[in-house]
Amino acid sequence: MPTKETYSNHRTNPHRGLNPAQMEAVLASVGPLLVLAGAGTGKTRVVISRILHLVRQGTPPERILAVTFTNKAAREMVLRIGRKFDPKSKPPKDKNKDFQPKKPEISTIHSLCVRILRRHAERAGYPQRFVIVNRGEQETTARRVLKELKVAEATLRPADLLDRVSRWKSRGVRPNEVFDTLSADADDSWDLAAAGYQRYQRLMQGVGAVDFDDLLLLVDQLFEQHDAIREQEATRFDHILVDEYQDTSGIQERILSALARDHRSLCVVGDDDQSIYAWRGAQISHILDFPTRWPGATVVRLEENYRSTPEIIEAANQLIECNSRRHGKTLVSKVPSGLKPSIVQAQDEVDEARRVTADVQALLMERFAPPNEMAVLVRTGEQTRVFETELRHRNIPYELIGSRSFFDRREVKDVLSFLRLLVDQSDDLALARIANVPPRGLSYNALEKARRKASETGKTLWVTLLELKQSGQLSPAASTGVEKLEQLISLGPANTTRGLTAADALQRALNQAHYRQYLEKEFEDEKEQEARWQSVEEIVNGLARYEKEHGSAEPATTVQRYLDDLILEVTEAERFEEDKPKGNALKLMTLHAAKGLEFDCVWMVGLEENLLPHIRATNEGLSAIDEERRLCYVGVTRARQRLVLSLALTRMKWGKAKPCKPSRFLYELTGQPEKFSEGPATPREKVGAKPRKRQAPK
């Protein structure tokens, strides 16, 4: 039994309100456990309750690891589980020290791998203070690679190279293995990409930099080549819980399995019916084959839905039952009956937008739901334009989810590079960005000279600049620039007077560099100047908040952790094309971005063949269609009370109106899959069946 120092509410029933299936999942014996959690069945509550159950059984909280799919989910779980632990534990004798009660470790797998890699970086061939680069820095490196390989952009663009590199890394393919993976009929661009991958990785490692995918690739490599390291990391935890298991890639699954291999206390929670990230490397086979890969695994099905009306759930069940391979489960709604999903048939995409926005406006006037409880879901981003026009026309407040990241702004990248350089002068990428920002006499030619010298000697760019200055090989202006950089670096948190925070050091460095004056010269408009400076201020404020919450370590270490967390969160936002919804406004977003969210009213638009399912899927076959059906299922199950499905009879393509066919998913949602016989075969239709006359279901 736990002590009152570790667990709050220990005298109350922690399982109060759980249904029998949820209770079974929480109390299941230690060992491999698969919890099949359908949409809206309370999976997060089950994960938290199981963690608390393990603690009540005597497991120290810090010996439990919970892995979530996104930082947003991790934050939510930390917040919810934090309320369950008593902060009034016995404080240390030294009252001057901050006391934090021990809690389970909750993070994304990338955050977990950062911490593992920091502990063993040298064994992986990297400095302990390696840098995690952002997308812009990746593209700069990719552009350099293609230039060195003399590859024309028409043949292979930097973004395309990075996309292929990412796909290889997500599959666990290392640079020395990449040529072995190429098929015999692959075109020349793949050979160029493979050569680019090898050179890209050498350049990155040469400056002590890793990208988002490297975090997993390098840890996977460490575990494979050094079993002692795997054992050391595995023994940190007695129990591992994984959320959204259906979205794990091959390399993610290998890392998690390696950590759980010895104690076998692996609880995975997910829904194969919501696996929609195959294009990003997710493998649905992980959740489908879990009982086979982990013999003796317990399987629990959560089928009671607490989100949507019975009418919406019935449609969702009818749809997903058409998939060719899945774990058998049928959702049952536990909320009162409501409206049946309705279908809107429009003449074209403009008419569709007008009908949908008119419906939105009518519901707002009836006060059926507030704007922030409404969402219009599209299959592709291009569909949003006409809806934006109509929403603005009707003065309906809306938010387009997936806008440009705050961290893509020039001034933000500059300030983060300043911060990186203040704590680590060996960070060549950061130095290269701000060496002459603001201008301080370090010309492009001087920097290129230093880069070449650094490449020849194997020394860092900063050390090389200092040596060139001391030997008189730099111009007077460039030497002055190096001296000014030295003055800035001396303001770093490790070199400042005791009691000065890293945020203070960064602010002093920006002031000494006259960065605000630089922005004022770069942008004439005063509003633009102020907006840019506010972005700078937000970085400083964010660092200050982080130091206040996590600043127990040495300043340089705290800054490094802040940068790690920041880049992981930014990269995640970029990968998932979503921002946290804000304000009382309707949400306009893609189906992928909607995963994990829920709304009172949902309009799913563009339910037409070659749009949903997407044309790529119709050309790729049954498994691709199954994933599109799961994507449609995700959209349907976002709705609590009202679901509207819309389609257009024609759509403009290359300046001409082209006829559209109703999506096969419309027939399946209404229990009429037999009315659609075109496209890849489904379990409900026979290959070669006679085509039937098709019309939108009623």
Side-chain angles (χ1 to χ4, degrees):
M1 293 293 291
T3 64
K4 96 174 160 177
E5 288 84 8
T6 58
Y7 180 66
S8 68
N9 301 325
H10 63 290
R11 295 179 180 175
T12 65
N13 180 9
H15 311 314
R16 184 174 57 190
L18 296 178
N19 64 43
Q22 291 172 330
M23 185 78 77
E24 182 184 357
V26 170
L27 302 180
S29 58
V30 173
L33 171 63
L34 170 61
V35 181
L36 294 168
T41 57
K43 66 179 178 66
T44 303
R45 183 181 181 186
V46 167
V47 172
I48 292 172
S49 296
R50 182 160 177 83
I51 291 173
L52 297 176
H53 171 69
L54 293 171
V55 173
R56 285 176 66 88
Q57 295 300 304
T59 302
E62 68 275 14
R63 301 284 301 171
I64 300 173
L65 169 66
V67 178
T68 65
F69 193 56
T70 65
N71 278 301
K72 178 183 175 184
R75 287 193 298 269
E76 180 184 351
M77 192 173 292
V78 167
L79 182 64
R80 291 175 62 175
I81 205 167
R83 303 179 184 133
K84 305 294 184 179
F85 287 85
D86 191 352
K88 299 180 181 179
S89 314
K90 293 180 181 179
K93 294 181 180 179
D94 186 354
K95 294 183 179 180
N96 294 320
K97 293 184 178 179
D98 294 332
F99 175 67
Q100 294 291 333
K102 293 181 178 179
K103 296 178 182 179
E105 185 165 330
I106 301 171
S107 72
T108 65
I109 190 165
H110 287 88
S111 295
L112 173 67
C113 286
V114 168
R115 295 191 290 276
I116 294 173
L117 197 55
R118 290 285 179 205
R119 289 191 283 268
H120 309 284
E122 292 184 359
R123 299 295 296 275
Y126 286 80
Q128 196 273 329
R129 284 189 173 176
F130 60 83
V131 176
I132 306 172
V133 298
N134 58 33
R135 178 71 180 188
E137 291 167 324
Q138 283 184 267
E139 289 182 352
T140 298
T141 304
R143 200 169 289 110
R144 178 182 171 186
V145 165
L146 295 175
K147 184 178 180 181
E148 292 178 358
L149 293 174
K150 298 180 179 179
V151 178
E153 192 161 314
T155 303
L156 187 65
R157 297 179 304 170
D160 295 330
L161 172 60
L162 292 176
D163 179 65
R164 295 183 186 185
V165 168
S166 180
R167 289 173 182 267
W168 279 318
K169 289 182 178 181
S170 68
R171 288 161 43 200
V173 178
R174 294 154 195 169
N176 64 321
E177 304 166 338
V178 65
F179 279 101
D180 296 333
T181 68
L182 300 180
S183 62
D185 59 347
D187 61 45
D188 292 343
S189 71
W190 284 96
D191 288 298
L192 293 171
Y197 176 21
Q198 293 180 338
R199 186 164 298 208
Y200 168 86
Q201 207 66 5
R202 285 198 300 272
L203 289 175
M204 293 284 283
Q205 189 169 3
V207 296
V210 301
D211 60 28
F212 198 67
D213 296 306
D214 282 329
L215 301 174
L216 305 186
L217 187 72
L218 293 173
V219 169
D220 183 50
Q221 183 174 310
L222 278 172
F223 285 179
E224 182 181 297
Q225 298 178 353
H226 307 282
D227 195 59
I229 292 177
R230 183 200 65 80
E231 288 183 358
Q232 178 184 341
E233 294 298 330
T235 55
R236 294 170 64 87
F237 305 105
D238 297 325
H239 307 281
I240 298 175
L241 300 93
V242 184
D243 194 14
E244 302 288 4
Y245 186 66
Q246 77 279 351
D247 294 326
T248 53
S249 67
I251 196 168
Q252 291 171 346
E253 200 279 331
R254 284 199 304 275
I255 292 170
L256 293 168
S257 293
L259 291 172
R261 183 188 308 164
D262 301 328
H263 56 66
R264 286 176 53 84
S265 183
L266 176 64
C267 169
V268 300
V269 183
D271 183 9
D272 52 301
D273 291 337
Q274 297 186 72
S275 179
I276 60 174
Y277 293 120
W279 52 276
R280 195 183 289 133
Q283 297 181 24
I284 193 173
S285 60
H286 295 158
I287 192 168
L288 291 176
D289 301 333
F290 185 86
T292 304
R293 289 183 297 103
W294 291 86
T298 302
V299 180
V300 179
R301 289 171 169 80
L302 306 184
E303 298 177 309
E304 294 187 6
N305 177 283
Y306 297 93
R307 175 188 300 163
S308 307
T309 63
E311 291 79 7
I312 293 173
I313 292 302
E314 180 184 2
N317 285 334
Q318 289 176 155
L319 172 72
I320 203 63
E321 285 172 2
C322 294
N323 260 10
S324 57
R325 187 179 178 221
R326 58 187 289 268
H327 285 293
K329 54 188 172 299
T330 302
L331 294 185
V332 178
S333 174
K334 305 303 288 186
V335 304
S337 182
L339 299 169
K340 286 186 176 182
S342 60
I343 298 174
V344 173
Q345 183 169 282
Q347 291 301 311
D348 54 31
E349 64 267 39
V350 176
D351 185 41
E352 180 185 42
R354 288 171 179 167
R355 289 172 180 264
V356 168
T357 55
D359 193 27
V360 171
Q361 191 173 49
L363 290 180
L364 289 173
M365 292 178 67
E366 295 173 12
R367 297 188 177 182
F368 186 91
N372 64 325
E373 287 295 344
M374 298 179 172
V376 175
L377 308 183
V378 300
R379 175 62 180 87
T380 65
E382 293 79 8
Q383 294 172 259
T384 63
R385 185 186 61 81
V386 290
F387 285 93
E388 286 194 84
T389 300
E390 290 301 320
L391 288 165
R392 288 195 298 266
H393 178 72
R394 297 179 183 273
N395 293 319
I396 297 173
Y398 75 94
E399 181 184 2
L400 180 63
I401 306 301
S403 56
R404 183 177 176 87
S405 171
F406 167 80
F407 297 95
D408 278 339
R409 299 174 186 177
R410 187 173 104 186
E411 68 275 10
V412 173
K413 291 180 179 180
D414 287 346
V415 175
L416 290 179
S417 292
F418 271 110
L419 182 58
R420 285 162 51 177
L421 195 62
L422 287 175
V423 296
D424 185 7
Q425 289 78 62
S426 65
D427 190 337
D428 285 1
L429 294 174
L431 176 58
R433 180 174 185 89
I434 56 90
N436 204 44
V437 175
R440 56 178 63 87
L442 273 169
S443 66
Y444 174 82
N445 289 335
L447 285 172
E448 279 300 297
K449 182 178 181 178
R451 283 198 186 99
R452 289 194 297 270
K453 187 70 173 178
S455 180
E456 293 170 1
T457 61
K459 297 179 180 179
T460 68
L461 183 58
W462 178 238
V463 169
T464 304
L465 279 171
L466 290 174
E467 289 179 351
L468 291 174
K469 171 183 164 276
Q470 291 167 359
S471 62
Q473 297 183 59
L474 293 178
S475 68
S479 295
T480 301
V482 173
E483 291 173 359
K484 290 180 178 178
L485 276 176
E486 284 186 283
Q487 294 171 8
L488 285 178
I489 290 171
S490 69
L491 298 175
N495 304 319
T496 53
T497 57
R498 188 175 180 84
L500 192 67
T501 66
D504 292 333
L506 176 59
Q507 190 170 1
R508 286 178 59 182
L510 291 171
N511 290 338
Q512 183 163 311
H514 304 293
Y515 191 75
R516 180 162 192 171
Q517 290 86 336
Y518 165 71
L519 289 178
E520 290 172 351
K521 289 180 180 178
E522 289 290 297
F523 305 97
E524 295 181 0
D525 184 80
E526 291 185 2
K527 291 183 179 179
E528 181 76 2
Q529 294 171 2
E530 188 60 32
R532 299 270 177 177
W533 186 246
Q534 285 178 358
S535 298
V536 173
E537 185 181 2
E538 180 53 35
I539 293 295
V540 176
N541 292 341
L543 177 58
R545 288 192 295 269
Y546 191 89
E547 285 189 287
K548 187 176 181 180
E549 296 175 7
H550 309 280
S552 58
E554 181 256 347
T557 302
T558 300
V559 172
Q560 188 66 70
R561 291 174 180 172
Y562 168 72
L563 290 167
D564 287 347
D565 290 351
L566 196 62
I567 193 66
L568 288 174
E569 187 159 350
V570 172
T571 307
E572 178 191 294
E574 292 172 348
R575 285 164 68 89
F576 289 93
E577 300 180 351
E578 66 172 298
D579 298 321
K580 185 179 179 181
K582 312 180 189 90
N584 190 22
L586 175 144
K587 312 307 173 190
L588 181 58
M589 68 180 80
T590 65
L591 287 162
H592 283 99
K595 190 172 183 294
L597 305 177
E598 56 187 76
F599 306 91
D600 286 345
C601 305
V602 169
W603 289 262
M604 287 179 57
V605 303
L607 270 87
E608 305 140 27
E609 289 292 301
N610 298 332
L611 190 52
L612 185 65
H614 197 275
I615 188 171
R616 288 193 300 269
T618 58
N619 293 330
E620 290 173 4
L622 183 59
S623 62
I625 292 293
D626 280 356
E627 173 141 344
E628 288 289 297
R629 186 175 287 108
R630 292 193 293 269
L631 184 59
C632 185
Y633 175 83
V634 165
V636 169
T637 54
R638 299 311 93 194
R640 299 192 193 101
Q641 301 179 41
R642 194 167 187 272
L643 173 66
V644 178
L645 311 165
S646 76
L647 72 154
L649 297 178
T650 64
R651 229 169 250 279
M652 195 69 70
K653 298 193 179 167
W654 297 105
K656 295 182 179 179
K658 300 290 185 181
C660 302
K661 297 176 180 178
S663 170
R664 68 193 73 191
F665 301 153
L666 278 174
Y667 296 93
E668 295 167 358
L669 281 160
T670 55
Q672 307 174 67
E674 68 278 1
K675 288 192 176 182
F676 188 91
S677 60
E678 298 181 18
T682 70
R684 291 192 179 185
E685 67 185 61
K686 297 179 180 179
V687 177
K690 195 174 180 180
R692 297 175 175 85
K693 185 178 180 181
R694 298 167 52 257
Q695 59 183 9
K698 300 181 180 178

